Amino acid sequence: MEQVNGGYKKPAAKEGYIIYQIVKGDALSKIARKFNTTEAMILAWNPKIKNRNLIYAGDYLYIKK
């Protein structure tokens, strides 16, 4: 995702996905539970994530509906 002043630029809509904005305190495991999916699936939908332990508040993730 492209970082801009004050946060991250919201990505373009993608059919079949929602866009989730990461909040402080989130971890991939917590997000996966929230959307009833797995960390592996979130990583597959978001190849920009290079390290599963490094996600940032304000960034966005695609989550399959």
Side-chain angles (χ1 to χ4, degrees), residues 9-58:
K9 183 178 177 183
K10 190 171 183 176
K14 197 170 168 182
E15 190 170 337
Y17 292 85
I18 63 163
I19 298 171
Y20 175 75
Q21 187 171 29
I22 300 168
V23 297
K24 186 176 179 180
D26 270 348
L28 282 184
S29 58
K30 183 177 175 183
I31 297 167
R33 282 191 304 273
K34 178 178 182 147
F35 291 100
N36 197 30
T37 190
T38 64
E39 290 181 51
M41 292 307 301
I42 293 173
L43 291 169
W45 300 327
N46 297 277
K48 68 181 181 116
I49 300 174
K50 304 300 181 204
N51 182 336
R52 69 178 46 214
N53 298 311
L54 289 176
I55 61 172
Y56 301 97

mmCIF file of all heavy atoms in Angstrom, residues 9-58:
data_model
loop_
_atom_site.group_PDB
_atom_site.id
_atom_site.type_symbol
_atom_site.label_atom_id
_atom_site.label_comp_id
_atom_site.label_asym_id
_atom_site.label_seq_id
_atom_site.Cartn_x
_atom_site.Cartn_y
_atom_site.Cartn_z
ATOM 1 N N LYS A 9 -3.015 5.165 1.746
ATOM 2 C CA LYS A 9 -4.012 5.384 0.701
ATOM 3 C C LYS A 9 -4.885 4.136 0.607
ATOM 4 O O LYS A 9 -4.385 3.028 0.493
ATOM 5 C CB LYS A 9 -3.292 5.637 -0.622
ATOM 6 C CG LYS A 9 -4.204 5.949 -1.765
ATOM 7 C CD LYS A 9 -3.394 6.243 -3.015
ATOM 8 C CE LYS A 9 -4.316 6.483 -4.177
ATOM 9 N NZ LYS A 9 -3.551 6.700 -5.406
ATOM 10 N N LYS A 10 -6.194 4.329 0.643
ATOM 11 C CA LYS A 10 -7.124 3.212 0.551
ATOM 12 C C LYS A 10 -7.000 2.588 -0.836
ATOM 13 O O LYS A 10 -7.014 3.285 -1.838
ATOM 14 C CB LYS A 10 -8.553 3.680 0.798
ATOM 15 C CG LYS A 10 -9.533 2.542 0.947
ATOM 16 C CD LYS A 10 -10.880 3.056 1.396
ATOM 17 C CE LYS A 10 -11.847 1.900 1.607
ATOM 18 N NZ LYS A 10 -13.113 2.358 2.127
ATOM 19 N N PRO A 11 -6.871 1.252 -0.890
ATOM 20 C CA PRO A 11 -6.722 0.601 -2.201
ATOM 21 C C PRO A 11 -8.029 0.592 -2.978
ATOM 22 O O PRO A 11 -9.108 0.821 -2.425
ATOM 23 C CB PRO A 11 -6.304 -0.821 -1.822
ATOM 24 C CG PRO A 11 -6.892 -1.032 -0.469
ATOM 25 C CD PRO A 11 -6.842 0.311 0.210
ATOM 26 N N ALA A 12 -7.916 0.296 -4.241
ATOM 27 C CA ALA A 12 -9.092 0.200 -5.108
ATOM 28 C C ALA A 12 -9.955 -0.982 -4.679
ATOM 29 O O ALA A 12 -9.450 -1.995 -4.206
ATOM 30 C CB ALA A 12 -8.647 0.023 -6.550
ATOM 31 N N ALA A 13 -11.253 -0.824 -4.855
ATOM 32 C CA ALA A 13 -12.177 -1.919 -4.562
ATOM 33 C C ALA A 13 -11.843 -3.097 -5.468
ATOM 34 O O ALA A 13 -11.378 -2.924 -6.589
ATOM 35 C CB ALA A 13 -13.607 -1.468 -4.790
ATOM 36 N N LYS A 14 -12.057 -4.281 -4.941
ATOM 37 C CA LYS A 14 -11.764 -5.510 -5.676
ATOM 38 C C LYS A 14 -12.985 -6.405 -5.520
ATOM 39 O O LYS A 14 -13.402 -6.690 -4.386
ATOM 40 C CB LYS A 14 -10.525 -6.137 -5.040
ATOM 41 C CG LYS A 14 -9.810 -7.161 -5.832
ATOM 42 C CD LYS A 14 -8.497 -7.427 -5.096
ATOM 43 C CE LYS A 14 -7.775 -8.619 -5.568
ATOM 44 N NZ LYS A 14 -6.551 -8.863 -4.825
ATOM 45 N N GLU A 15 -13.576 -6.816 -6.626
ATOM 46 C CA GLU A 15 -14.806 -7.599 -6.565
ATOM 47 C C GLU A 15 -14.608 -8.865 -5.737
ATOM 48 O O GLU A 15 -13.618 -9.585 -5.891
ATOM 49 C CB GLU A 15 -15.267 -7.978 -7.973
ATOM 50 C CG GLU A 15 -16.661 -8.583 -7.957
ATOM 51 C CD GLU A 15 -17.248 -8.737 -9.340
ATOM 52 O OE1 GLU A 15 -16.834 -8.023 -10.269
ATOM 53 O OE2 GLU A 15 -18.133 -9.591 -9.474
ATOM 54 N N GLY A 16 -15.564 -9.110 -4.820
ATOM 55 C CA GLY A 16 -15.525 -10.295 -3.982
ATOM 56 C C GLY A 16 -14.766 -10.103 -2.681
ATOM 57 O O GLY A 16 -14.649 -11.040 -1.895
ATOM 58 N N TYR A 17 -14.240 -8.896 -2.455
ATOM 59 C CA TYR A 17 -13.453 -8.617 -1.255
ATOM 60 C C TYR A 17 -13.992 -7.394 -0.533
ATOM 61 O O TYR A 17 -14.547 -6.499 -1.156
ATOM 62 C CB TYR A 17 -11.987 -8.333 -1.615
ATOM 63 C CG TYR A 17 -11.249 -9.535 -2.137
ATOM 64 C CD1 TYR A 17 -11.322 -9.880 -3.478
ATOM 65 C CD2 TYR A 17 -10.480 -10.324 -1.299
ATOM 66 C CE1 TYR A 17 -10.647 -10.981 -3.967
ATOM 67 C CE2 TYR A 17 -9.792 -11.425 -1.777
ATOM 68 C CZ TYR A 17 -9.890 -11.749 -3.117
ATOM 69 O OH TYR A 17 -9.215 -12.841 -3.597
ATOM 70 N N ILE A 18 -13.770 -7.371 0.775
ATOM 71 C CA ILE A 18 -13.971 -6.138 1.534
ATOM 72 C C ILE A 18 -12.586 -5.573 1.806
ATOM 73 O O ILE A 18 -11.589 -6.287 1.702
ATOM 74 C CB ILE A 18 -14.745 -6.367 2.857
ATOM 75 C CG1 ILE A 18 -13.961 -7.269 3.794
ATOM 76 C CG2 ILE A 18 -16.132 -6.892 2.604
ATOM 77 C CD1 ILE A 18 -14.444 -7.199 5.226
ATOM 78 N N ILE A 19 -12.532 -4.311 2.149
ATOM 79 C CA ILE A 19 -11.273 -3.668 2.504
ATOM 80 C C ILE A 19 -11.333 -3.382 4.000
ATOM 81 O O ILE A 19 -12.230 -2.693 4.473
ATOM 82 C CB ILE A 19 -11.060 -2.379 1.698
ATOM 83 C CG1 ILE A 19 -10.974 -2.720 0.216
ATOM 84 C CG2 ILE A 19 -9.806 -1.659 2.169
ATOM 85 C CD1 ILE A 19 -10.970 -1.513 -0.702
ATOM 86 N N TYR A 20 -10.387 -3.962 4.736
ATOM 87 C CA TYR A 20 -10.340 -3.798 6.188
ATOM 88 C C TYR A 20 -9.148 -2.928 6.543
ATOM 89 O O TYR A 20 -8.031 -3.176 6.085
ATOM 90 C CB TYR A 20 -10.196 -5.166 6.866
ATOM 91 C CG TYR A 20 -10.017 -5.060 8.358
ATOM 92 C CD1 TYR A 20 -11.091 -4.749 9.186
ATOM 93 C CD2 TYR A 20 -8.773 -5.245 8.948
ATOM 94 C CE1 TYR A 20 -10.925 -4.631 10.557
ATOM 95 C CE2 TYR A 20 -8.596 -5.133 10.310
ATOM 96 C CZ TYR A 20 -9.679 -4.820 11.110
ATOM 97 O OH TYR A 20 -9.518 -4.702 12.472
ATOM 98 N N GLN A 21 -9.391 -1.899 7.369
ATOM 99 C CA GLN A 21 -8.292 -1.052 7.831
ATOM 100 C C GLN A 21 -7.790 -1.580 9.167
ATOM 101 O O GLN A 21 -8.564 -1.748 10.115
ATOM 102 C CB GLN A 21 -8.722 0.404 7.967
ATOM 103 C CG GLN A 21 -7.537 1.307 8.273
ATOM 104 C CD GLN A 21 -7.880 2.778 8.206
ATOM 105 O OE1 GLN A 21 -9.005 3.171 8.454
ATOM 106 N NE2 GLN A 21 -6.896 3.584 7.871
ATOM 107 N N ILE A 22 -6.503 -1.853 9.231
ATOM 108 C CA ILE A 22 -5.873 -2.369 10.435
ATOM 109 C C ILE A 22 -5.906 -1.293 11.518
ATOM 110 O O ILE A 22 -5.641 -0.120 11.252
ATOM 111 C CB ILE A 22 -4.413 -2.781 10.144
ATOM 112 C CG1 ILE A 22 -4.388 -3.872 9.074
ATOM 113 C CG2 ILE A 22 -3.709 -3.235 11.418
ATOM 114 C CD1 ILE A 22 -3.006 -4.147 8.498
ATOM 115 N N VAL A 23 -6.250 -1.700 12.743
ATOM 116 C CA VAL A 23 -6.266 -0.777 13.873
ATOM 117 C C VAL A 23 -5.188 -1.180 14.877
ATOM 118 O O VAL A 23 -4.712 -2.324 14.871
ATOM 119 C CB VAL A 23 -7.655 -0.720 14.567
ATOM 120 C CG1 VAL A 23 -8.704 -0.184 13.622
ATOM 121 C CG2 VAL A 23 -8.055 -2.067 15.100
ATOM 122 N N LYS A 24 -4.809 -0.248 15.726
ATOM 123 C CA LYS A 24 -3.799 -0.510 16.744
ATOM 124 C C LYS A 24 -4.229 -1.716 17.574
ATOM 125 O O LYS A 24 -5.381 -1.822 17.977
ATOM 126 C CB LYS A 24 -3.636 0.729 17.635
ATOM 127 C CG LYS A 24 -2.512 0.605 18.618
ATOM 128 C CD LYS A 24 -2.325 1.875 19.396
ATOM 129 C CE LYS A 24 -1.183 1.683 20.383
ATOM 130 N NZ LYS A 24 -0.945 2.875 21.163
ATOM 131 N N GLY A 25 -3.302 -2.627 17.789
ATOM 132 C CA GLY A 25 -3.584 -3.822 18.576
ATOM 133 C C GLY A 25 -3.964 -5.030 17.738
ATOM 134 O O GLY A 25 -4.055 -6.141 18.253
ATOM 135 N N ASP A 26 -4.206 -4.825 16.435
ATOM 136 C CA ASP A 26 -4.537 -5.943 15.546
ATOM 137 C C ASP A 26 -3.313 -6.820 15.298
ATOM 138 O O ASP A 26 -2.179 -6.342 15.287
ATOM 139 C CB ASP A 26 -5.039 -5.447 14.187
ATOM 140 C CG ASP A 26 -6.539 -5.241 14.127
ATOM 141 O OD1 ASP A 26 -7.247 -5.691 15.043
ATOM 142 O OD2 ASP A 26 -6.999 -4.622 13.152
ATOM 143 N N ALA A 27 -3.568 -8.084 15.094
ATOM 144 C CA ALA A 27 -2.578 -9.063 14.634
ATOM 145 C C ALA A 27 -3.296 -9.894 13.581
ATOM 146 O O ALA A 27 -4.534 -9.957 13.575
ATOM 147 C CB ALA A 27 -2.114 -9.935 15.792
ATOM 148 N N LEU A 28 -2.553 -10.530 12.700
ATOM 149 C CA LEU A 28 -3.212 -11.335 11.670
ATOM 150 C C LEU A 28 -4.120 -12.389 12.284
ATOM 151 O O LEU A 28 -5.205 -12.641 11.775
ATOM 152 C CB LEU A 28 -2.178 -11.994 10.759
ATOM 153 C CG LEU A 28 -1.558 -11.107 9.704
ATOM 154 C CD1 LEU A 28 -0.614 -11.916 8.818
ATOM 155 C CD2 LEU A 28 -2.594 -10.429 8.845
ATOM 156 N N SER A 29 -3.693 -12.996 13.387
ATOM 157 C CA SER A 29 -4.522 -14.029 14.026
ATOM 158 C C SER A 29 -5.845 -13.447 14.514
ATOM 159 O O SER A 29 -6.903 -14.058 14.350
ATOM 160 C CB SER A 29 -3.770 -14.681 15.182
ATOM 161 O OG SER A 29 -3.386 -13.711 16.140
ATOM 162 N N LYS A 30 -5.804 -12.257 15.073
ATOM 163 C CA LYS A 30 -7.017 -11.599 15.566
ATOM 164 C C LYS A 30 -7.949 -11.240 14.400
ATOM 165 O O LYS A 30 -9.165 -11.436 14.475
ATOM 166 C CB LYS A 30 -6.622 -10.333 16.338
ATOM 167 C CG LYS A 30 -7.770 -9.589 16.963
ATOM 168 C CD LYS A 30 -7.251 -8.390 17.753
ATOM 169 C CE LYS A 30 -8.373 -7.557 18.301
ATOM 170 N NZ LYS A 30 -7.866 -6.374 19.003
ATOM 171 N N ILE A 31 -7.383 -10.725 13.317
ATOM 172 C CA ILE A 31 -8.175 -10.368 12.140
ATOM 173 C C ILE A 31 -8.785 -11.623 11.527
ATOM 174 O O ILE A 31 -9.956 -11.635 11.139
ATOM 175 C CB ILE A 31 -7.314 -9.594 11.118
ATOM 176 C CG1 ILE A 31 -6.839 -8.266 11.726
ATOM 177 C CG2 ILE A 31 -8.094 -9.344 9.834
ATOM 178 C CD1 ILE A 31 -5.734 -7.579 10.943
ATOM 179 N N ALA A 32 -8.004 -12.695 11.458
ATOM 180 C CA ALA A 32 -8.504 -13.966 10.906
ATOM 181 C C ALA A 32 -9.703 -14.471 11.711
ATOM 182 O O ALA A 32 -10.711 -14.894 11.131
ATOM 183 C CB ALA A 32 -7.389 -15.005 10.883
ATOM 184 N N ARG A 33 -9.611 -14.438 13.030
ATOM 185 C CA ARG A 33 -10.745 -14.862 13.874
ATOM 186 C C ARG A 33 -11.956 -13.973 13.631
ATOM 187 O O ARG A 33 -13.084 -14.470 13.528
ATOM 188 C CB ARG A 33 -10.356 -14.832 15.350
ATOM 189 C CG ARG A 33 -9.532 -16.008 15.796
ATOM 190 C CD ARG A 33 -9.393 -16.095 17.301
ATOM 191 N NE ARG A 33 -8.837 -14.890 17.909
ATOM 192 C CZ ARG A 33 -7.542 -14.639 18.067
ATOM 193 N NH1 ARG A 33 -6.655 -15.510 17.640
ATOM 194 N NH2 ARG A 33 -7.133 -13.526 18.627
ATOM 195 N N LYS A 34 -11.732 -12.674 13.524
ATOM 196 C CA LYS A 34 -12.829 -11.725 13.327
ATOM 197 C C LYS A 34 -13.621 -12.038 12.057
ATOM 198 O O LYS A 34 -14.834 -11.899 12.027
ATOM 199 C CB LYS A 34 -12.269 -10.301 13.264
ATOM 200 C CG LYS A 34 -13.292 -9.234 13.028
ATOM 201 C CD LYS A 34 -12.671 -7.848 13.032
ATOM 202 C CE LYS A 34 -13.747 -6.813 12.850
ATOM 203 N NZ LYS A 34 -13.482 -5.584 13.551
ATOM 204 N N PHE A 35 -12.910 -12.467 10.995
ATOM 205 C CA PHE A 35 -13.559 -12.727 9.717
ATOM 206 C C PHE A 35 -13.721 -14.221 9.419
ATOM 207 O O PHE A 35 -14.023 -14.602 8.297
ATOM 208 C CB PHE A 35 -12.792 -12.031 8.591
ATOM 209 C CG PHE A 35 -12.920 -10.533 8.656
ATOM 210 C CD1 PHE A 35 -11.913 -9.754 9.195
ATOM 211 C CD2 PHE A 35 -14.072 -9.903 8.213
ATOM 212 C CE1 PHE A 35 -12.033 -8.372 9.270
ATOM 213 C CE2 PHE A 35 -14.205 -8.517 8.282
ATOM 214 C CZ PHE A 35 -13.184 -7.751 8.814
ATOM 215 N N ASN A 36 -13.518 -15.056 10.450
ATOM 216 C CA ASN A 36 -13.702 -16.498 10.324
ATOM 217 C C ASN A 36 -12.904 -17.079 9.156
ATOM 218 O O ASN A 36 -13.437 -17.776 8.300
ATOM 219 C CB ASN A 36 -15.189 -16.844 10.195
ATOM 220 C CG ASN A 36 -15.456 -18.305 10.463
ATOM 221 O OD1 ASN A 36 -14.739 -18.935 11.238
ATOM 222 N ND2 ASN A 36 -16.466 -18.849 9.823
ATOM 223 N N THR A 37 -11.616 -16.743 9.133
ATOM 224 C CA THR A 37 -10.716 -17.249 8.101
ATOM 225 C C THR A 37 -9.392 -17.604 8.764
ATOM 226 O O THR A 37 -9.328 -17.721 9.981
ATOM 227 C CB THR A 37 -10.566 -16.214 6.956
ATOM 228 O OG1 THR A 37 -9.880 -16.827 5.872
ATOM 229 C CG2 THR A 37 -9.902 -14.944 7.388
ATOM 230 N N THR A 38 -8.355 -17.795 7.966
ATOM 231 C CA THR A 38 -7.042 -18.144 8.517
ATOM 232 C C THR A 38 -6.011 -17.079 8.150
ATOM 233 O O THR A 38 -6.191 -16.318 7.202
ATOM 234 C CB THR A 38 -6.552 -19.493 7.947
ATOM 235 O OG1 THR A 38 -6.354 -19.349 6.538
ATOM 236 C CG2 THR A 38 -7.558 -20.607 8.240
ATOM 237 N N GLU A 39 -4.928 -17.072 8.918
ATOM 238 C CA GLU A 39 -3.825 -16.165 8.595
ATOM 239 C C GLU A 39 -3.290 -16.468 7.201
ATOM 240 O O GLU A 39 -2.975 -15.551 6.441
ATOM 241 C CB GLU A 39 -2.690 -16.321 9.610
ATOM 242 C CG GLU A 39 -3.012 -15.790 10.977
ATOM 243 C CD GLU A 39 -1.841 -15.957 11.936
ATOM 244 O OE1 GLU A 39 -0.711 -15.550 11.585
ATOM 245 O OE2 GLU A 39 -2.066 -16.495 13.032
ATOM 246 N N ALA A 40 -3.189 -17.743 6.867
ATOM 247 C CA ALA A 40 -2.665 -18.145 5.553
ATOM 248 C C ALA A 40 -3.512 -17.562 4.425
ATOM 249 O O ALA A 40 -2.974 -17.119 3.402
ATOM 250 C CB ALA A 40 -2.597 -19.663 5.454
ATOM 251 N N MET A 41 -4.818 -17.566 4.590
ATOM 252 C CA MET A 41 -5.689 -17.011 3.551
ATOM 253 C C MET A 41 -5.498 -15.502 3.439
ATOM 254 O O MET A 41 -5.435 -14.958 2.343
ATOM 255 C CB MET A 41 -7.152 -17.359 3.825
ATOM 256 C CG MET A 41 -7.461 -18.839 3.686
ATOM 257 S SD MET A 41 -6.951 -19.594 2.133
ATOM 258 C CE MET A 41 -7.858 -18.639 0.950
ATOM 259 N N ILE A 42 -5.406 -14.812 4.562
ATOM 260 C CA ILE A 42 -5.182 -13.359 4.534
ATOM 261 C C ILE A 42 -3.868 -13.055 3.818
ATOM 262 O O ILE A 42 -3.795 -12.135 3.000
ATOM 263 C CB ILE A 42 -5.208 -12.757 5.952
ATOM 264 C CG1 ILE A 42 -6.617 -12.854 6.538
ATOM 265 C CG2 ILE A 42 -4.732 -11.298 5.933
ATOM 266 C CD1 ILE A 42 -6.733 -12.435 7.988
ATOM 267 N N LEU A 43 -2.838 -13.841 4.092
ATOM 268 C CA LEU A 43 -1.553 -13.648 3.420
ATOM 269 C C LEU A 43 -1.674 -13.899 1.923
ATOM 270 O O LEU A 43 -1.083 -13.178 1.113
ATOM 271 C CB LEU A 43 -0.490 -14.551 4.035
ATOM 272 C CG LEU A 43 -0.073 -14.183 5.464
ATOM 273 C CD1 LEU A 43 0.772 -15.289 6.071
ATOM 274 C CD2 LEU A 43 0.659 -12.859 5.501
ATOM 275 N N ALA A 44 -2.454 -14.893 1.524
ATOM 276 C CA ALA A 44 -2.647 -15.191 0.102
ATOM 277 C C ALA A 44 -3.378 -14.052 -0.605
ATOM 278 O O ALA A 44 -3.068 -13.723 -1.751
ATOM 279 C CB ALA A 44 -3.422 -16.496 -0.057
ATOM 280 N N TRP A 45 -4.347 -13.447 0.073
ATOM 281 C CA TRP A 45 -5.122 -12.353 -0.517
ATOM 282 C C TRP A 45 -4.343 -11.044 -0.544
ATOM 283 O O TRP A 45 -4.718 -10.105 -1.252
ATOM 284 C CB TRP A 45 -6.412 -12.128 0.252
ATOM 285 C CG TRP A 45 -7.324 -13.312 0.302
ATOM 286 C CD1 TRP A 45 -7.503 -14.264 -0.671
ATOM 287 C CD2 TRP A 45 -8.186 -13.685 1.371
ATOM 288 N NE1 TRP A 45 -8.417 -15.198 -0.258
ATOM 289 C CE2 TRP A 45 -8.864 -14.864 0.999
ATOM 290 C CE3 TRP A 45 -8.462 -13.140 2.629
ATOM 291 C CZ2 TRP A 45 -9.787 -15.512 1.818
ATOM 292 C CZ3 TRP A 45 -9.389 -13.783 3.447
ATOM 293 C CH2 TRP A 45 -10.035 -14.952 3.038
ATOM 294 N N ASN A 46 -3.285 -10.957 0.272
ATOM 295 C CA ASN A 46 -2.506 -9.721 0.423
ATOM 296 C C ASN A 46 -1.019 -10.014 0.261
ATOM 297 O O ASN A 46 -0.254 -9.989 1.232
ATOM 298 C CB ASN A 46 -2.782 -9.113 1.807
ATOM 299 C CG ASN A 46 -4.222 -8.711 1.968
ATOM 300 O OD1 ASN A 46 -4.618 -7.644 1.545
ATOM 301 N ND2 ASN A 46 -5.024 -9.583 2.558
ATOM 302 N N PRO A 47 -0.569 -10.287 -0.960
ATOM 303 C CA PRO A 47 0.835 -10.655 -1.170
ATOM 304 C C PRO A 47 1.833 -9.559 -0.814
ATOM 305 O O PRO A 47 3.025 -9.835 -0.693
ATOM 306 C CB PRO A 47 0.887 -11.007 -2.663
ATOM 307 C CG PRO A 47 -0.302 -10.363 -3.260
ATOM 308 C CD PRO A 47 -1.348 -10.300 -2.182
ATOM 309 N N LYS A 48 1.359 -8.355 -0.585
ATOM 310 C CA LYS A 48 2.252 -7.266 -0.173
ATOM 311 C C LYS A 48 2.827 -7.511 1.221
ATOM 312 O O LYS A 48 3.848 -6.942 1.572
ATOM 313 C CB LYS A 48 1.511 -5.935 -0.175
ATOM 314 C CG LYS A 48 0.451 -5.880 0.911
ATOM 315 C CD LYS A 48 -0.308 -4.575 0.918
ATOM 316 C CE LYS A 48 -1.323 -4.608 2.032
ATOM 317 N NZ LYS A 48 -1.082 -3.643 3.044
ATOM 318 N N ILE A 49 2.184 -8.370 2.017
ATOM 319 C CA ILE A 49 2.680 -8.658 3.367
ATOM 320 C C ILE A 49 3.850 -9.621 3.234
ATOM 321 O O ILE A 49 3.681 -10.765 2.829
ATOM 322 C CB ILE A 49 1.582 -9.255 4.268
ATOM 323 C CG1 ILE A 49 0.411 -8.296 4.412
ATOM 324 C CG2 ILE A 49 2.165 -9.606 5.638
ATOM 325 C CD1 ILE A 49 -0.775 -8.867 5.156
ATOM 326 N N LYS A 50 5.021 -9.150 3.582
ATOM 327 C CA LYS A 50 6.240 -9.959 3.474
ATOM 328 C C LYS A 50 6.578 -10.649 4.794
ATOM 329 O O LYS A 50 7.251 -11.664 4.809
ATOM 330 C CB LYS A 50 7.425 -9.093 3.038
ATOM 331 C CG LYS A 50 7.193 -8.357 1.734
ATOM 332 C CD LYS A 50 6.937 -9.297 0.579
ATOM 333 C CE LYS A 50 6.728 -8.520 -0.712
ATOM 334 N NZ LYS A 50 5.963 -9.222 -1.698
ATOM 335 N N ASN A 51 6.131 -10.070 5.908
ATOM 336 C CA ASN A 51 6.400 -10.627 7.230
ATOM 337 C C ASN A 51 5.095 -10.614 8.017
ATOM 338 O O ASN A 51 4.587 -9.546 8.351
ATOM 339 C CB ASN A 51 7.476 -9.801 7.941
ATOM 340 C CG ASN A 51 7.851 -10.344 9.301
ATOM 341 O OD1 ASN A 51 7.080 -11.054 9.954
ATOM 342 N ND2 ASN A 51 9.037 -9.997 9.754
ATOM 343 N N ARG A 52 4.562 -11.796 8.320
ATOM 344 C CA ARG A 52 3.270 -11.891 8.996
ATOM 345 C C ARG A 52 3.257 -11.202 10.366
ATOM 346 O O ARG A 52 2.204 -10.904 10.904
ATOM 347 C CB ARG A 52 2.826 -13.342 9.132
ATOM 348 C CG ARG A 52 3.644 -14.152 10.077
ATOM 349 C CD ARG A 52 3.174 -15.575 10.249
ATOM 350 N NE ARG A 52 2.876 -16.181 8.979
ATOM 351 C CZ ARG A 52 1.897 -17.068 8.786
ATOM 352 N NH1 ARG A 52 1.191 -17.491 9.784
ATOM 353 N NH2 ARG A 52 1.672 -17.550 7.603
ATOM 354 N N ASN A 53 4.421 -10.945 10.918
ATOM 355 C CA ASN A 53 4.503 -10.293 12.223
ATOM 356 C C ASN A 53 4.614 -8.777 12.121
ATOM 357 O O ASN A 53 4.692 -8.103 13.145
ATOM 358 C CB ASN A 53 5.691 -10.849 13.015
ATOM 359 C CG ASN A 53 5.528 -12.324 13.280
ATOM 360 O OD1 ASN A 53 4.480 -12.768 13.737
ATOM 361 N ND2 ASN A 53 6.550 -13.099 12.970
ATOM 362 N N LEU A 54 4.633 -8.251 10.900
ATOM 363 C CA LEU A 54 4.745 -6.804 10.711
ATOM 364 C C LEU A 54 3.574 -6.289 9.883
ATOM 365 O O LEU A 54 3.624 -6.249 8.659
ATOM 366 C CB LEU A 54 6.056 -6.454 10.002
ATOM 367 C CG LEU A 54 7.335 -6.611 10.792
ATOM 368 C CD1 LEU A 54 8.540 -6.313 9.911
ATOM 369 C CD2 LEU A 54 7.344 -5.706 12.008
ATOM 370 N N ILE A 55 2.514 -5.912 10.587
ATOM 371 C CA ILE A 55 1.403 -5.204 9.945
ATOM 372 C C ILE A 55 1.243 -3.901 10.711
ATOM 373 O O ILE A 55 1.620 -3.812 11.878
ATOM 374 C CB ILE A 55 0.096 -6.032 9.921
ATOM 375 C CG1 ILE A 55 -0.381 -6.380 11.328
ATOM 376 C CG2 ILE A 55 0.280 -7.282 9.062
ATOM 377 C CD1 ILE A 55 -1.761 -7.020 11.365
ATOM 378 N N TYR A 56 0.712 -2.908 10.047
ATOM 379 C CA TYR A 56 0.713 -1.568 10.623
ATOM 380 C C TYR A 56 -0.686 -0.971 10.694
ATOM 381 O O TYR A 56 -1.447 -1.044 9.723
ATOM 382 C CB TYR A 56 1.605 -0.644 9.787
ATOM 383 C CG TYR A 56 3.026 -1.138 9.719
ATOM 384 C CD1 TYR A 56 3.470 -1.876 8.629
ATOM 385 C CD2 TYR A 56 3.907 -0.901 10.761
ATOM 386 C CE1 TYR A 56 4.776 -2.362 8.575
ATOM 387 C CE2 TYR A 56 5.212 -1.369 10.716
ATOM 388 C CZ TYR A 56 5.643 -2.094 9.632
ATOM 389 O OH TYR A 56 6.925 -2.573 9.586
ATOM 390 N N ALA A 57 -0.998 -0.373 11.848
ATOM 391 C CA ALA A 57 -2.266 0.337 12.011
ATOM 392 C C ALA A 57 -2.365 1.401 10.929
ATOM 393 O O ALA A 57 -1.393 2.087 10.621
ATOM 394 C CB ALA A 57 -2.340 0.966 13.401
ATOM 395 N N GLY A 58 -3.535 1.490 10.320
ATOM 396 C CA GLY A 58 -3.756 2.458 9.258
ATOM 397 C C GLY A 58 -3.634 1.851 7.870
ATOM 398 O O GLY A 58 -4.152 2.394 6.906
#
